[in-house]
Amino acid sequence: MSTMVLISLAVMALALCLTFIRLFRGPSLPDRVVALELFSSILVGIIGVVAIAADVALLLDVAIVVALMGFMATIGFARFLERGGPRDD
Amino acid sequence: MIEWFVAGLTLIGAAFMCLAALGVLRLPDLLTRMHATTKAATLGVSLVMLAVALHFAEEAVVARAFGIILFIMMTAPVAAHAIGRAGYFVGARLWDGTLKDELKPHYDPLSHRLDSGLDSERGDQADVSDREK
């Protein structure tokens, strides 16, 4: 069981690193927003695995909040981009 | 027995999330990257939450886990639609190998107007622009 937790946490950490490269390089702002959304999704998965590992069901509430925050941030960035009109970044 | 299911579901979910991250890193433009993140990451989170529900097997936890799955499945397409639309209008460059851009003939970037592609409406808009001249 603990090896399963370790392997999946390592794979998810790798996924976070790959996403961070895109967040760092991302040629335009929408690319970075997509990377941030993926960040929050992976974070929800990590919290789920940690909840299994630590046997604490309360961590699921944290996962709900993180998912909600990711969604609201994405919608906010989308609104911000559309109001901004054409841009070159 | 249940433990093996939990382990398998968690590992498969983690693998799908890694696949989504790989897609977001390697694919060429905004829309293809979004196509990788929305589907693969949603499936990954759903599998991990299924594993959580199996591991705890209490009503409150199972309801919460399925609530998270439902929430992710409902919000991921909405968020992807919003950011894809914003990215297209802001002028995100499409991949060079893109064969078809059906929005292009119907969208005017200067006036930020879309027409529906119906001939009747296009006629109306032509009338309006004639009158404005």
Side-chain angles (χ1 to χ4, degrees):
Chain A
M1 198 66 177
S2 64
T3 46
M4 174 279 286
V5 167
L6 276 183
I7 293 174
S8 41
L9 279 183
V11 171
M12 284 184 198
L14 178 69
L16 274 182
C17 290
L18 294 178
T19 314
F20 184 78
I21 296 175
R22 174 54 65 197
L23 184 69
F24 188 70
R25 285 209 314 214
S28 65
L29 187 53
D31 291 308
R32 295 197 167 100
V33 178
V34 169
L36 272 179
E37 200 202 353
L38 185 58
F39 240 74
S40 78
S41 294
I42 296 175
L43 215 58
V44 172
I46 287 181
I47 293 171
V49 174
V50 170
I52 292 178
D55 229 353
V56 178
L58 275 178
L59 280 176
L60 281 190
D61 293 337
V62 183
I64 293 176
V65 172
V66 170
L68 189 65
M69 293 280 281
F71 173 62
M72 298 305 270
T74 310
I75 294 293
F77 267 115
R79 297 299 300 170
F80 166 69
L81 275 172
E82 274 199 71
R83 288 285 164 81
R87 66 173 65 209
D88 184 27
D89 48 18
Chain B
M1 183 69 188
I2 289 284
E3 230 172 58
W4 286 106
F5 273 113
V6 172
L9 283 174
T10 316
L11 285 177
I12 296 172
F16 268 109
M17 275 182 223
C18 194
L19 211 61
L22 204 64
V24 92
L25 183 65
R26 291 286 298 158
L27 285 173
D29 68 356
L30 173 71
L31 299 179
T32 48
R33 273 172 212 149
M34 246 160 38
H35 143 86
T37 64
T38 47
K39 288 188 276 276
T42 303
L43 186 57
V45 172
S46 304
L47 289 177
V48 171
M49 284 303 144
L50 217 58
V52 171
L54 276 178
H55 177 262
F56 286 102
E58 301 163 15
E59 292 92 346
V61 181
V62 171
R64 236 171 265 172
F66 276 93
I68 294 179
I69 294 178
L70 200 69
F71 181 78
I72 294 260
M73 281 195 174
M74 274 165 58
T75 57
V78 177
H81 170 80
I83 195 65
R85 181 188 149 94
Y88 188 93
F89 288 157
V90 163
R93 197 165 297 156
L94 297 185
W95 180 41
D96 294 334
T98 304
L99 290 179
K100 206 166 192 178
D101 182 3
E102 288 194 331
L103 196 54
K104 199 170 189 180
H106 301 299
Y107 171 59
D108 181 10
L110 293 178
S111 62
H112 194 63
R113 281 187 68 134
L114 280 172
D115 65 38
S116 67
L118 298 175
D119 284 335
S120 58
E121 187 182 310
R122 203 174 296 159
D124 291 347
Q125 276 197 343
D127 289 346
V128 170
S129 57
D130 284 346
R131 244 175 275 153
E132 278 170 356
K133 278 172 194 169

